[in-house]
Amino acid sequence: MIQKKYLAQNFGQAAKTYQQYSFIQDLAADILLNYILIKNPKNILELGCGPGNFTKKLANKFSEAKVTAIDISKEMLEVAMLEVPKSDLNRFKFIQADAETFLADPEEKFDLIISNATLQWLNMVKQKGYFAVSMFGPKTFKELAEVLAEENIKIAAQYFKDLAAYQQIFAEGKETFIEKEYPSLLDLLKYIKNTGTKHHQKSLIKGLWTKKKVEKLESKYLARFGKIKVTYHLIFARGHSDRT
Ligand SMILES: C[S@@+](CC[C@H](N)C(=O)[O-])C[C@H]1O[C@@H](n2cnc3c(N)ncnc32)[C@H](O)[C@@H]1O
């Protein structure tokens, strides 16, 4: 079960660094924008807008649309609000809310509900309508998971849903695997920390990431894979949904 308190805290701490490190989320964003089938949405709901990196792209693509962007982290929303040009601000609404329980004004009908790199953190979403979403799948960081399994530690990604699970909710889905190499394990851990995607159970990490321990884990990682490479497992899904 995802612990919301830690999740909001971790993302909040990463709000200012996120966009320097979010290359994979930005790649997912570009694929997702081309995956939307509807042409001219007038009223868009974005779930988990983070620091507004995807919100900006969305607003550029649909320059007439109104966008309601929600996020559970206040700090992320503060950055997102600064990202939007002041002259354009009147077509945006930023709301701090949990996407699982968020209830839009009943008068408001969204013709596109969209979410980039976020749905893996949610158990369910109550909105009904046309969805286009991207999220990380369970093979994300599978190499790190293998190394940490020896320490009896599980990472959050192992609990993410797979493509088959999303295909039961949305009409269509596809997945892609992207490999990336990091110069060192510390660089990989830095990326994880600075995008807020670290494990939600803080207590598990305490005492683990001492310098010595990182060196030991890095040796294990290199022995197993020859380099510090990771897999990013991206899942895209779209379609009308009244089951989420
Ligand atoms: C990986 S970031 C993605 C940010 C942005 N959409 C992007 O494209 O890079 C995930 C975001 O989802 C937010 N989030 C996680 N769980 C949430 C929830 N239950 N309700 C609303 N936002 C949530 C986090 O605070 C974080 O800003």
Side-chain angles (χ1 to χ4, degrees), residues 7 11 18 25 48 50 53-54 71-72 76 97-99 116-118 122:
L7 192 125
F11 278 114
Y18 184 89
Q25 290 86 347
N53 43 331
F54 181 62
D71 201 283
I72 201 163
M76 282 287 192
D98 180 345
N116 188 52
T118 297
L122 308 185

Side-chain angles (χ1 to χ4, degrees), residues 94-208:
F94 288 98
I95 303 173
Q96 187 185 5
D98 180 345
E100 288 182 26
T101 50
F102 175 69
L103 284 177
D105 181 341
E107 300 289 298
E108 202 150 31
K109 292 266 182 298
F110 295 107
D111 35 25
L112 171 63
I113 298 155
I114 196 153
S115 178
N116 188 52
T118 297
L119 237 62
Q120 71 278 357
W121 297 113
L122 308 185
N123 299 308
M124 55 150 81
V125 176
K126 291 210 174 81
Q127 311 299 324
K128 293 182 181 179
Y130 179 81
F131 274 79
V133 291
S134 82
M135 48 265 152
F136 290 106
K139 299 262 167 60
T140 302
F141 298 145
K142 68 183 167 67
E143 299 83 358
L144 181 64
E146 258 185 54
V147 174
L148 288 179
E150 288 180 26
E151 312 283 322
N152 282 326
I153 290 173
K154 292 205 171 196
I155 63 167
Q158 287 169 272
Y159 300 98
F160 294 163
K161 292 190 193 76
D162 62 10
L163 178 62
Y166 287 110
Q167 278 169 330
Q168 296 204 330
I169 302 169
F170 301 102
E172 281 180 74
K174 63 174 185 179
E175 64 189 343
T176 180
F177 297 89
I178 291 158
E179 265 192 19
K180 165 134 175 108
E181 194 179 333
Y182 286 85
S184 70
L185 182 59
L186 205 58
D187 284 289
L188 169 58
L189 297 176
K190 229 190 244 175
Y191 161 82
I192 294 175
K193 183 163 178 254
N194 287 328
T195 51
T197 42
K198 63 187 173 185
H199 200 292
H200 51 276
Q201 278 172 294
K202 260 194 162 168
S203 55
L204 284 183
I205 295 179
K206 257 190 198 158
L208 177 71

Side-chain angles (χ1 to χ4, degrees), residues 29-53:
D30 293 334
I31 300 173
L32 181 62
L33 282 179
N34 286 317
Y35 195 57
I36 305 167
L37 285 180
I38 56 168
K39 288 277 178 282
N40 284 310
K42 296 270 173 297
N43 210 2
I44 302 175
L45 173 63
E46 186 194 358
L47 306 171
C49 65
N53 43 331

